[in-house]
């Protein structure tokens, strides 16, 4: 696809294609500087996010929000995306990321690598955006504030009560992947 064309024009840059999207590519057609990693462990994902200089999201179609974009922003990686790839995140070109058509991505990659100060500013803005709008604690605080400021229920006599609204503390737990028989532990029906 298009990513192979971009990579071919930038032979000194390694392109890592991570996740099941890599299975859509024919490995016999890929340039040498493209590595198809497939699905990876959480540890490998964290290492890749630490090592990456730029994250690309060259989506041409689809719907919904690309959650991987939030990972890129949170990791402090400059992001180049198509408009389709950036949808649903309330982000602005040149403030949070660079929104470019696929045809301009190779030139944009070169530009990013030659402007580290500009990219540092963009990544800082993107990280703040994620922390403010997409971090679980920020989301929970907004929910709790909405609950606290919600209209009080009326008493049985039709008068508003002055009783405080009580609510419980929200804890967010990371969902762990299920243990499979291949892991040597448990069974799928546990």
């Amino acid at each position: 696809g298009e990513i192979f064309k971009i990579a071919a024009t930038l032979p000194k840059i390694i392109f890592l294609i991570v996740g099941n999207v890599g299975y859509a590519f024919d490995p016999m057609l890929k340039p040498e500087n493209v590595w198809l990693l497939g699905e990876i462990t959480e540890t490998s994902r964290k290492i890749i996010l630490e090592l990456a200089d730029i994250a690309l999201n060259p989506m041409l179609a689809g719907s919904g929000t690309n959650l991987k974009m939030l990972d890129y922003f949170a990791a402090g990686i400059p992001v180049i995306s198509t408009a389709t790839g950036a949808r649903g995140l309330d982000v602005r070109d040149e403030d949070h990321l660079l929104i470019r058509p696929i045809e301009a991505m190779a030139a944009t990659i070169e530009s990013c690598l030659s402007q580290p100060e500009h990219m540092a500013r963009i990544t800082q803005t993107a990280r703040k955006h994620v922390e403010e709008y997409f971090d679980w604690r920020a989301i929970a605080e907004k929910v709790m504030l909405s609950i606290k400021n919600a209209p009080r229920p009326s008493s049985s006599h039709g008068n508003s009560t002055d009783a405080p609204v009580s609510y419980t503390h929200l804890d967010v737990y990371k969902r762990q992947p299920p243990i499979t028989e291949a892991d040597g532990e448990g069974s799928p029906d546990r």
Side-chain angles (χ1 to χ4, degrees):
E2 295 296 323
I3 198 73
F4 288 0
K5 292 177 190 174
I6 295 168
T9 66
L10 301 167
K12 293 183 180 184
I13 296 174
I14 301 295
F15 289 77
L16 304 177
I17 299 179
V18 178
N20 60 9
V21 68
Y23 303 135
F25 296 101
D26 182 347
M28 301 303 291
L29 302 176
K30 72 175 191 59
E32 285 186 29
N33 60 330
V34 174
W35 299 359
L36 302 173
L37 301 181
E39 296 174 62
I40 59 173
T41 66
E42 181 65 17
T43 300
S44 295
R45 186 186 71 80
K46 287 178 181 179
I47 292 168
I48 290 168
L49 289 173
E50 286 181 27
L51 296 175
D53 293 312
I54 296 172
L56 298 179
N57 191 15
M59 288 192 63
L60 293 174
S63 62
T65 301
N66 268 261
L67 297 180
K68 65 185 168 201
M69 296 282 284
L70 300 177
D71 283 342
Y72 301 155
F73 293 158
I77 305 170
V79 176
I80 304 170
S81 178
T82 58
T84 301
R87 75 201 174 289
L89 297 172
D90 195 26
V91 291
R92 292 179 305 279
D93 182 33
E94 295 289 337
D95 282 340
H96 303 102
L97 74 164
L98 301 176
I99 299 175
R100 301 291 185 272
I102 288 181
E103 305 79 39
M105 285 194 174
T108 305
I109 291 167
E110 289 181 314
S111 175
C112 286
L113 294 174
S114 68
Q115 300 177 14
E117 300 84 17
H118 179 59
M119 293 298 95
R121 182 188 60 77
I122 287 176
T123 58
Q124 287 174 346
T125 304
R127 181 165 175 116
K128 286 179 188 173
H129 184 69
V130 167
E131 290 171 354
E132 185 174 344
Y133 296 103
F134 297 99
D135 179 84
W136 281 115
R137 288 183 188 182
I139 292 168
E141 286 173 13
K142 289 176 186 173
V143 168
M144 298 308 290
L145 186 60
S146 294
I147 292 170
K148 183 180 178 184
N149 293 329
R152 305 281 195 259
S154 297
S155 70
S156 61
H157 302 292
N159 299 327
S160 177
T161 67
D162 290 328
V165 173
S166 63
Y167 49 87
T168 60
H169 176 74
L170 296 178
D171 284 321
V172 179
Y173 299 95
K174 182 176 180 193
R175 187 174 153 235
Q176 297 297 317
I179 297 173
T180 66
E181 287 185 48
D183 296 328
E185 300 176 31
S187 65
D189 61 346
R190 63 181 163 84

